[in-house]
């Protein structure tokens, strides 16, 4: 049912994005853009433009959820139908399951650093393995799996409290690590052009456009189901302020920290290290190692719960609300992530590339359909009662509970995105935008005959 209390303010939305950005993956991603051949200023501009695009989409995707107090799978019923909404829900849920396992595995590597620091004798557990993971790895993975499950069991209020303080705590730790690395390296020895290439002219523009597209793609998942969190926000005005602080300002500042630390790793260690866990492990300060490991544990757990636990919890619950509760949906995802043996996925880039890219090719089309339907077809009007009824008289029943036009648009646009990803590989970085554009145009064309009787809709008052 819709959330009627909506206790979140701008800070909780800001903290949500801090938890989403401040992760090992976010750190590595920001530093990896230098591989495109861009210098520091060019990377910074690309990050700012890319994250501003993400902010625009977050505002758009979050508006219906905030307005109706409903999560993404329920909002998707407006365009896909009461039962058809299971299609986008399952697509998003499966992507989240894959990444939930991988992020848990990444968090466990930081936890193992802590274990070995305090109990070095445990290193003997690394000699034997089960299903591709050492016994020591299993101890780390299961520990992180249980920790995240405990936080999730306490519900959204507990999750909000965790992300409210974990984001700022990570900033403090990142700042401390940054100062420590600068002191070790000497500011005069730090160089911010980390690329071995030297681009000129249009090559610079081309690579900057690719970098911008990569930023948008990196945040495509959590932005798609942003209604899962915007539903708790008290007003749309607060939502937009939280997005402004949490995306452009927060992401660029975090990226600056990441780039400085990576740049300092060259004079300190004699090589460029883009994995912060490895950086922390190489430091000769026990206190910094412990604090750093704890930081990346909380950072990764934070993004995992936010992006990959809550999303499938809503998604799988939507398939059968009477039988699958929010918590049951989350644990279906959690158990599924173990069955995928994420360590084997992570260590086989080709498998994860095809798995995630095929599922990811469907994300862009979902954006196009949901946004066009809400803003152009439904004119921002929501019949809340129809979102929660299986009656054929409901506005979002369509045909047997499915809007076939949205399904056709999804298939057509998804095919275009897959072609761009795997056939015309020069367009692979733009698959998100290609899929979204094709879906938006196709869906708008197919729905021309749809006459939305606005007078019969139940208006939902916005608090903005």
């Amino acid at each position: 049912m819709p959330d009627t209390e909506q206790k979140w303010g701008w800070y909780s939305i800001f903290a949500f994005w801090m938890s989403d950005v401040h992760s090992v993956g976010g750190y590595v991603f920001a530093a990896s853009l230098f591989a495109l051949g861009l210098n520091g200023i060019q990377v910074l501009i690309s990050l700012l433009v890319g994250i501003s695009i993400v902010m625009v989409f977050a505002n758009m995707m979050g508006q219906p959820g905030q307005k109706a107090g409903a999560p993404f799978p329920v909002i998707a019923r407006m365009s896909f139908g009461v039962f058809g909404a299971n299609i986008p829900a399952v697509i998003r849920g499966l992507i989240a399951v894959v990444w939930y396992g991988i992020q848990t595995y990444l968090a466990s590597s930081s936890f193992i650093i802590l274990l070995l620091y305090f109990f070095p004798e445990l290193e003997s557990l690394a000699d034997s393995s089960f299903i591709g993971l050492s016994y020591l790895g299993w101890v780390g993975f299961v520990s992180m799996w249980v920790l995240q499950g405990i936080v999730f069991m306490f519900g959204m209020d507990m999750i909000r409290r965790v992300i409210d303080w974990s984001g700022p705590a990570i900033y403090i730790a990142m700042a401390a690590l940054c100062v420590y690395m600068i002191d070790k390296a000497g500011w005069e020895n730090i160089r911010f052009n980390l690329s071995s290439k030297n681009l000129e002219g249009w090559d610079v523009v081309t690579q900057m456009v690719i970098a911008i597209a990569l930023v948008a793609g990196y945040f495509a998942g959590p932005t798609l189901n942003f209604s899962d969190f915007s539903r708790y926000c008290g007003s749309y005005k607060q939502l937009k302020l939280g997005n402004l602080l949490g995306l452009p300002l927060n992401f660029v500042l975090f990226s600056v920290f990441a780039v400085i630390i990576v740049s300092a790793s060259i004079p300190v260690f004699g090589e460029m290290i883009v994995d912060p866990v490895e950086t922390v492990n190489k430091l000769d300060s026990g206190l910094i190692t412990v604090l750093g490991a704890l930081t990346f544990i909380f950072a990764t757990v934070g993004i995992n719960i936010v992006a990959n636990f809550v999303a499938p919890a809503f998604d799988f619950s939507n398939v059968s609300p009477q039988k699958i509760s929010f918590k049951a949906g989350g644990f279906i995802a959690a158990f599924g992530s173990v069955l995928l043996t994420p360590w084997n996925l992570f260590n086989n880039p080709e498998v994860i590339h095809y798995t995630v890219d095929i599922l990811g090719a469907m994300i862009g089309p979902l954006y196009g359909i949901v946004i066009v339907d809400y803003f152009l077809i439904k004119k921002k009007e929501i019949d809340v009662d129809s979102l929660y009824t299986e009656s054929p008289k409901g506005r979002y029943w369509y045909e047997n509970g499915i809007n076939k036009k949205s399904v056709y648009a999804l298939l057509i646009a998804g095919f275009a995105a897959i072609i761009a990803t795997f056939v015309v590989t020069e367009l692979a970085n733009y698959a998100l935008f290609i899929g979204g554009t094709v879906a938006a145009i196709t869906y708008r064309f197919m729905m021309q005959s749809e006459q939305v009787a606005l007078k019969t809709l139940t208006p939902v008052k916005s608090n903005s």
Side-chain angles (χ1 to χ4, degrees):
M1 292 304 291
D3 189 281
T4 55
E5 296 186 4
Q6 296 185 305
K7 299 177 181 178
W8 290 28
W10 66 266
Y11 179 78
S12 291
I13 297 298
F14 169 53
F16 162 83
W17 287 117
M18 277 200 289
S19 292
D20 203 33
V21 167
H22 301 178
S23 67
V24 173
Y27 179 107
V28 173
F29 173 77
S32 70
L33 294 183
F34 285 97
L36 297 173
L38 302 173
N39 62 36
I41 296 298
Q42 292 160 353
V43 166
L44 193 62
I45 292 172
S46 301
L47 289 171
L48 187 57
V49 174
I51 205 66
S52 296
I53 293 173
V54 173
M55 181 185 69
V56 170
F57 280 104
N59 287 340
M60 297 175 78
M61 293 299 293
Q63 187 178 121
Q66 188 280 320
K67 194 174 186 181
F72 168 70
V74 175
I75 293 300
R77 294 175 184 178
M78 293 173 63
S79 51
F80 280 85
V82 176
F83 297 140
N86 289 328
I87 297 171
V90 169
I91 290 172
R92 176 64 184 108
L94 289 175
I95 294 172
V97 169
V98 173
W99 284 113
Y100 182 79
I102 291 173
Q103 291 282 12
T104 301
Y105 173 63
L106 291 175
S108 71
S109 63
S110 295
F111 183 68
I112 288 170
I113 289 175
L114 279 183
L115 281 179
L116 293 180
Y117 181 80
F118 290 108
F119 308 102
E121 65 274 10
L122 291 177
E123 192 165 2
S124 61
L125 293 175
D127 298 333
S128 302
S129 65
F130 175 67
I131 321 179
L133 186 64
S134 70
Y135 291 164
L136 180 61
W138 273 105
V139 170
F141 183 84
V142 171
S143 298
M144 291 299 95
W145 193 91
V146 171
L147 173 64
Q148 293 170 124
I150 291 172
V151 172
F152 181 76
M153 278 297 292
F154 282 96
M156 287 302 299
D157 275 346
M158 174 60 77
I159 293 172
R160 178 178 60 83
R161 291 192 188 100
V162 169
I163 64 178
D164 276 356
W165 68 261
S166 64
I170 293 162
Y171 256 132
I172 293 171
M174 283 287 287
L177 181 59
C178 192
V179 170
Y180 183 83
M181 291 293 287
I182 291 173
D183 180 64
K184 291 279 288 184
W187 183 256
E188 68 280 0
N189 297 319
I190 298 177
R191 300 289 181 268
F192 294 107
N193 189 1
L194 303 179
S195 174
S196 58
K197 304 175 185 177
N198 188 18
L199 301 178
E200 295 181 354
W202 280 106
D203 288 338
V204 173
V205 176
T206 300
Q207 295 304 312
M208 287 181 71
V209 170
I210 290 175
I212 291 167
L214 288 173
V215 172
Y218 181 79
F219 289 98
T223 308
L224 175 69
N225 63 281
F226 188 46
S227 283
D228 290 347
F229 301 92
S230 67
R231 67 179 302 213
Y232 300 107
C233 193
S235 77
Y236 188 54
K237 193 179 201 179
Q238 294 275 309
L239 180 73
K240 290 191 291 184
L241 177 59
N243 284 343
L244 175 65
L245 297 174
L247 286 167
L249 297 178
N250 169 58
F251 182 59
V252 170
L253 181 57
F254 178 79
S255 298
V256 168
F257 277 136
V259 168
I260 289 175
I261 295 169
V262 171
S263 300
S265 71
I266 299 174
V268 172
F269 303 118
E271 59 178 327
M272 184 172 72
I273 300 175
V274 296
D275 185 344
V277 177
E278 186 180 349
T279 299
V280 165
N281 201 26
K282 281 179 173 285
L283 296 176
D284 54 10
S285 168
L287 178 62
I288 293 290
T289 298
V290 170
L291 289 177
L294 283 171
T295 295
F296 291 119
I297 286 172
F298 284 114
T300 308
V301 166
I303 185 180
N304 217 15
I305 292 176
V306 165
N308 302 319
F309 212 144
V310 173
F314 282 122
D315 294 336
F316 295 142
S317 175
N318 186 73
V319 174
S320 182
Q322 295 83 7
K323 298 179 180 178
I324 304 175
S325 67
F326 171 71
K327 290 181 179 179
F331 280 104
I332 288 173
F335 281 108
S337 70
V338 178
L339 296 177
L340 285 172
T341 61
W343 46 90
N344 291 325
L345 275 179
F346 189 74
N347 293 324
N348 192 332
E350 189 173 346
V351 172
I352 193 171
H353 165 69
Y354 283 108
T355 302
V356 175
D357 281 358
I358 289 173
L359 291 171
M362 295 296 176
I363 286 186
L366 294 177
Y367 272 101
I369 292 168
V370 172
I371 288 174
V372 165
D373 183 80
Y374 176 70
F375 288 96
L376 300 182
I377 306 298
K378 303 299 194 299
K379 306 294 184 184
K380 302 183 186 179
E381 295 291 347
I382 306 174
D383 184 340
V384 178
D385 290 338
S386 289
L387 288 175
Y388 293 93
T389 181
E390 295 181 3
S391 169
K393 295 180 180 180
R395 182 156 302 279
Y396 310 125
W397 180 253
Y398 297 101
E399 184 180 342
N400 297 320
I402 300 173
N403 181 7
K404 292 183 178 179
K405 294 175 182 177
S406 62
V407 177
Y408 295 151
L410 174 63
L411 291 174
I412 292 169
F415 179 73
I418 289 174
I419 292 296
T421 302
F422 297 105
V423 181
V424 189
T425 52
E426 295 83 0
L427 299 175
N429 294 315
Y430 312 109
L432 178 75
F433 296 98
I434 292 171
T437 302
V438 172
I441 294 172
T442 305
Y443 184 72
R444 183 71 181 92
F445 175 76
M446 289 182 175
M447 293 292 285
Q448 279 182 340
S449 60
E450 176 93 354
Q451 297 297 321
V452 181
L454 294 177
K455 292 182 181 179
T456 64
L457 286 172
T458 301
V460 180
K461 292 181 180 179
S462 172
N463 297 318
S464 57

